[in-house]
Amino acid sequence: MGFYVDGILGIDFGGTSLKSCLATGSQLKLYDAIPTPKDMAALRKSLMEVSKLANDDLHTSVAGVGIGLPGLVGQDGEALFLPHLKDFSSLNFVQLVEDIVGAPARLDNDANCAGVAELREIGACASGYEVVIGIGTGLGAAIFGPGGIARGFSGFSGEVGHICIERNGRSCECGRRGCWEQYCSGGSIRSELDSAGWVDINIEEVFREMDVNPDFKSLVEEFCFHLGLGIANLVAILDLERVVLTGGLARSLEAVLPKVRRYYLELVEGAGARRETEIRVGSLFEFAGAIGATYLWNLVDG
Ligand SMILES: [Zn+2]
């Protein structure tokens, strides 16, 4: 367990909802999710709302803000490429948040935030070679080795949701086609439900009722195949000891892990020759990113 520096606000900009939390002393307070702002006016308003919640709870101003963004983030606080939030690509989030909240801010990729938070919660695996996959509206990952998180040449490692798995496949918000997240995310399930006319069905219901509804069953089966396929590809590249699933959709995945494992074992190269890669669900779910964003300030061993 770590302890928290007083008064850090964590904000995670998901593709659909914005999650936030406040870290004070040894406590975490989670705030209700709100719709992700899609334009500048809504963004300013959302930031004012969440900072007011935190300031009211603290009876003073927050000491710092951690921000998680879904996409490529720069070293100077700017968003560089956000497939799900295109209007904010190239916006300097750190500057904007500092102006609105009145406290210093730090920024990271949302999946990196979520990965760090999950491993703080459940502990790193023995070898250190693991990937935390965040599945919400899109899909992203944090890649870990014995030295901790792998950042890559430009700081962009882990954008696995945009690995192409289907030539001329479904079009993706990143501007390309056939990306993994178009077959394996809350967004992909949502668009299949919408195009089948099931606009009022939520994704949790699809997983809950898959045994009684053949249409839901085939949707879940496809999802599990593509999750197993992606994990098999990551294991082929990284030889992982463990894969941890987090994000909003992870709540529904515990029940289908045997299916995912079965597909993974069918699809991974040399399954019989490998030590078994553990595939498990994390424990922070949709709040992993916001909680991890507070760690941008206060990751201190205690
Ligand atoms: Zn893509």
Side-chain angles (χ1 to χ4, degrees):
M1 275 299 288
F3 67 88
Y4 303 104
V5 175
D6 250 356
I8 301 296
L9 174 63
I11 305 175
D12 177 23
F13 288 83
T16 308
S17 64
L18 180 154
K19 269 77 70 180
S20 58
C21 67
L22 177 66
T24 57
S26 58
Q27 303 270 312
L28 260 180
K29 179 162 187 181
L30 307 178
Y31 295 123
D32 290 340
I34 57 175
T36 299
K38 300 287 182 181
D39 60 51
M40 277 306 292
L43 175 58
R44 286 178 179 279
K45 185 163 169 281
S46 306
L47 289 171
M48 283 190 272
E49 273 174 29
V50 293
S51 70
K52 182 174 184 326
L53 284 175
N55 290 343
D56 287 353
D57 279 330
L58 284 170
H59 305 295
T60 182
S61 302
V62 299
V65 186
I67 310 158
L69 286 180
L72 309 184
V73 301
Q75 308 296 315
D76 298 316
E78 74 278 34
L80 296 175
F81 182 63
L82 305 178
H84 302 284
L85 302 170
K86 285 200 187 66
D87 285 357
F88 302 144
S89 286
S90 82
L91 176 68
N92 191 309
F93 270 77
V94 162
Q95 209 166 63
L96 181 78
V97 169
E98 288 183 347
D99 286 348
I100 290 175
V101 180
R106 292 178 183 172
L107 177 67
D108 200 353
N109 171 272
D110 61 346
N112 286 346
C113 292
V116 168
E118 284 289 4
L119 295 199
R120 288 291 289 180
E121 203 64 23
I122 63 179
C125 68
S127 71
Y129 289 103
E130 60 189 315
V131 166
V132 180
I133 302 175
I135 312 178
T137 306
L139 183 154
I143 297 170
F144 294 87
I149 195 162
R151 295 258 165 207
F153 176 46
S154 303
F156 303 158
S157 70
E159 286 288 290
V160 299
H162 301 282
I163 291 172
C164 178
I165 59 163
E166 185 80 49
R167 189 181 187 193
N168 296 323
R170 297 174 187 164
S171 61
C172 183
E173 289 174 282
C174 74
R176 299 151 64 247
R177 282 185 169 276
C179 293
W180 184 22
E181 74 170 30
Q182 293 305 318
Y183 301 84
C184 191
S185 65
S188 74
I189 297 174
R190 182 75 266 157
S191 62
E192 296 227 19
L193 288 172
D194 289 351
S195 56
W198 287 309
V199 286
D200 295 327
I201 303 288
N202 68 43
I203 295 169
E204 290 74 25
E205 283 176 270
V206 171
F207 280 85
R208 239 184 359 250
E209 293 177 18
M210 64 186 169
D211 291 331
V212 292
N213 183 324
D215 293 319
F216 292 174
K217 188 175 169 57
S218 67
L219 245 176
V220 171
E221 201 72 36
E222 272 297 286
F223 175 91
C224 291
F225 166 80
H226 284 106
L227 184 53
L229 170 65
I231 292 172
N233 290 344
L234 292 176
V235 169
I237 299 165
L238 297 164
D239 186 17
L240 301 166
E241 178 179 345
R242 186 171 68 176
V243 172
V244 179
L245 306 171
T246 188
L249 202 68
R251 281 187 193 282
S252 300
L253 296 182
E254 192 81 61
V256 296
L257 280 183
K259 277 182 196 294
V260 176
R261 279 199 199 96
R262 199 184 68 230
Y263 282 122
Y264 158 72
L265 288 169
E266 276 174 32
L267 295 162
V268 73
E269 173 236 15
R274 293 177 179 275
R275 289 191 285 179
E276 192 174 335
T277 298
E278 182 191 1
I279 302 171
R280 62 161 287 178
V281 171
S283 61
L284 301 175
F285 305 111
E286 65 270 33
F287 276 96
I291 293 168
T294 71
Y295 288 146
L296 294 172
W297 284 94
N298 56 19
L299 192 56
V300 184
D301 289 318

